[in-house]
Amino acid sequence: MGQEGRANRYLPRGPQLDTLLPAETLRDDLPLPDNSELDVVRHFTRLSQKTFGIDTAFYPLGSCTMKYNPRINDAMANVPALRDAHPFAPDAAAQGPLAVMWELERALASLFGMAAFSLNPAAGAHAELAALLIAKAYFKKIGQPQRNVVIVPDTAHGTNPASAAMVGFKVVSLKSDAQGRVDPDEMRKVAGPDTAVCMMTNPNTLGLFESRIHEVADVVHEAGGLMYYDGANANALMGNTRPGDMGFDLMHLNLHKTFTIPHGGGGAGAGPVGVAAHLIPFLPTPVVRAFDAEGTAVDASGWRDSGEFTFALDFDRPDSIGPMRSFWSNFAHMVRALAYTYANGGEGLTNVSKLAVLNANYIRVNITDVVDIPYPEINRHEFVASAQSLKRETGVRALDIGKALLDRGYHAPTVYFPLIVPECLMIEPTETESKETLDAFIAAFREIVATARANPEAVLATPINTAVGRIDETRAARQPDLRWHP
């Protein structure tokens, strides 16, 4: 598309390029289409309409907490005094941003029962890496560098063993019991003098609360290890219970999940890492410190209003693992997360989790008669279903249900994870969806299963209404072609 001379030109042509750059650095040809401004606007508008996001439709992607991001968060991040603050500004000229970071850190510590947080890591997995580096530094400091094993239940997120391996730990997988939970007796068989960390999420990736978590934590602590809480599922318990009270020594949060900053898509993220009191010296630098009117450092516990304090960045921490990210890390996301926290308040955040749990159970109960539910009990913020029986009877798999949902305007649930459930569909609706949206999704899901039983080929042919149809997924995985060819 395009034709020579069609492009709108509002400004006079600049100087010839060979007057600005050496001739040998210039290319002879640049075959870009010459289009009008209107054609270009329509092209990119059409492309934007082919994407899928939480702003366009329901996105029940299990374990990813695709909740709505309130626009008030962005408005606060765009307040000029915060938006225009420069990371090289001296502490005296950056009291507002430092107060934001300090209040958010205090709020997270209070909400999740940790002694302190670092806002430095740039994403959830980055925070996992930071936590494991903290654990390694801690054991080295206390003279136990031989602890080199990280225990990971089979219901853990895939990033857990990957992060442990990156830090040089040996990973030991722990099989769940028949109820989909960690058995303290099984933990006792693997925990020992080489145990460094046990990495768990609670509720786990089956959407089930680990009801014996205190016993599990006791076993790991008696062996001399640390308990790490993967905060990817924190939306299930925020304000209702706290990892610190369960016995966890380390944890991380995904602010893009629980605290409604934008999901990355490869962009900037934020993954605060929290620690118990004995691990504070190892937190990444810098740490925001508060001082009272006399200039005395304040050892704050719980959330505190920052109005009476002044702040400074502390880089002089000899036991620290060092910075995980340059400058203040992704500061705008800290503003968004604090705005979300204050907009909801303590009671509101508690209700967020309750509604997330209610919505997940509402969907589960309403599809129980059409697909397998491997763990038929009250789940938390997400649950797993299985298309195993449907596949056996019709040939329609979990993947095919996901494809058919795309045709009906829904993002597919997470499929084939966790690995311990065959033909798994992991569904997480979040608290921000209305009953009408949930009912429409339930109706679509049930209609797909009914179609699978009556005419499976119709489901196997989906999607037919999307910009891209069904691809050869095996070839895409084994022969990736990521280069654009003109």
Side-chain angles (χ1 to χ4, degrees), residues 32 107 121 158-159 237 279 290 306 322 340 362 366 432:
L32 294 176
T159 52
L237 50 74
L279 298 173
S306 65
Y340 178 76
Y362 183 74
N366 279 283
T432 56

Side-chain angles (χ1 to χ4, degrees), residues 69-70 93 112 164 190 193 200 212 224 249 258 266 277 395 404 407 417 424 434 485:
N69 299 166
F112 294 96
V190 297
M200 293 179 63
R212 302 179 70 183
D249 307 287
T258 313
D407 255 356
F417 182 80
C424 184
S434 67
H485 298 279

Side-chain angles (χ1 to χ4, degrees), residues 133 140 169 217 270 283 327 346 397 411 416 446 482:
L133 288 171
K140 182 179 180 182
F169 286 119
L283 281 173
F327 304 118
R397 306 161 296 166
H411 196 282
Y416 301 111
R446 295 179 66 88
L482 306 179

Side-chain angles (χ1 to χ4, degrees), residues 55-406:
D55 288 349
T56 57
F58 184 38
Y59 208 130
L61 193 64
S63 210
C64 289
T65 313
M66 303 297 291
K67 62 165 76 175
Y68 172 66
N69 299 166
R71 294 301 184 265
I72 184 68
N73 298 354
D74 295 330
M76 294 298 102
N78 275 304
V79 169
L82 300 175
R83 182 194 63 202
D84 299 339
H86 195 283
F88 278 148
D91 292 347
Q95 288 298 292
L98 295 181
V100 166
M101 288 188 272
W102 190 79
E103 288 196 20
L104 177 61
E105 188 273 334
R106 286 294 82 210
L108 297 181
S110 178
L111 268 170
F112 294 96
M114 291 284 129
F117 268 86
S118 166
L119 308 178
N120 198 244
H126 199 210
E128 287 183 25
L129 182 66
L132 290 166
L133 288 171
I134 289 171
K136 197 156 198 170
Y138 167 72
F139 286 120
K140 182 179 180 182
K141 181 75 176 181
I142 64 173
Q144 298 180 18
Q146 81 283 358
R147 293 187 178 274
N148 64 348
V149 170
V150 170
I151 302 169
V152 182
D154 57 7
T155 54
H157 290 106
T159 52
N160 291 177
S163 298
M166 283 188 70
V167 181
F169 286 119
K170 176 184 174 184
V171 177
V172 172
S173 180
L174 188 67
K175 186 174 173 30
S176 299
D177 64 16
Q179 287 72 47
R181 294 174 169 89
V182 173
D183 185 335
D185 292 332
E186 293 300 313
M187 180 65 75
R188 194 168 284 106
K189 294 177 183 176
V190 297
D194 59 354
T195 299
V197 180
C198 171
M199 303 181 78
M200 293 179 63
T201 186
N202 195 15
N204 61 30
T205 56
L206 298 171
L208 305 175
F209 192 83
E210 296 280 358
S211 53
R212 302 179 70 183
I213 187 61
H214 284 111
E215 295 176 66
V216 172
D218 287 346
V219 171
V220 173
H221 287 151
E222 287 165 7
L226 298 172
M227 288 289 290
Y228 173 81
Y229 179 82
D230 177 340
N233 290 347
N235 208 49
L237 50 74
M238 177 171 56
N240 293 282
T241 184
R242 308 192 306 173
D245 298 335
M246 299 177 199
F248 287 96
D249 307 287
L250 298 139
M251 70 169 292
H252 87 265
L253 291 164
N254 303 80
L255 294 188
H256 63 277
K257 295 182 180 182
T258 313
F259 289 88
T260 65
I261 71 170
H263 276 65
V273 58
V275 295
H278 59 295
L279 298 173
I280 289 178
F282 305 95
L283 281 173
T285 53
V287 170
V288 179
R289 300 290 305 276
F291 299 88
D292 62 19
E294 284 73 41
T296 304
V298 176
D299 282 328
S301 60
W303 180 87
R304 299 273 292 276
D305 188 317
S306 65
E308 60 187 295
F309 304 125
T310 58
F311 302 93
L313 292 173
D314 183 6
F315 291 87
D316 186 17
R317 302 174 70 85
D319 290 329
S320 167
I321 62 169
M324 293 295 294
R325 181 70 165 76
S326 56
F327 304 118
W328 301 343
S329 195
N330 296 321
F331 173 68
H333 287 338
M334 301 173 199
V335 179
R336 290 183 173 94
L338 188 62
Y340 178 76
T341 301
Y342 286 165
N344 283 279
E347 183 177 354
L349 294 176
T350 301
N351 287 333
V352 160
S353 292
K354 290 178 178 176
L355 288 171
V357 172
L358 177 65
N359 282 358
N361 280 281
Y362 183 74
I363 294 179
R364 177 184 58 81
V365 168
N366 279 283
I367 64 172
T368 296
D369 59 328
V370 297
V371 289
D372 302 329
I373 303 294
Y375 302 95
E377 59 177 283
I378 294 176
N379 52 273
R380 303 302 152 182
H381 67 309
E382 64 188 6
F383 69 98
V384 294
S386 171
Q388 180 78 335
S389 295
L390 188 69
K391 175 187 174 184
R392 189 182 307 116
E393 296 163 9
T394 68
V396 171
R397 306 161 296 166
L399 175 71
D400 304 315
I401 293 176
K403 299 293 186 186
L405 283 167
L406 300 180

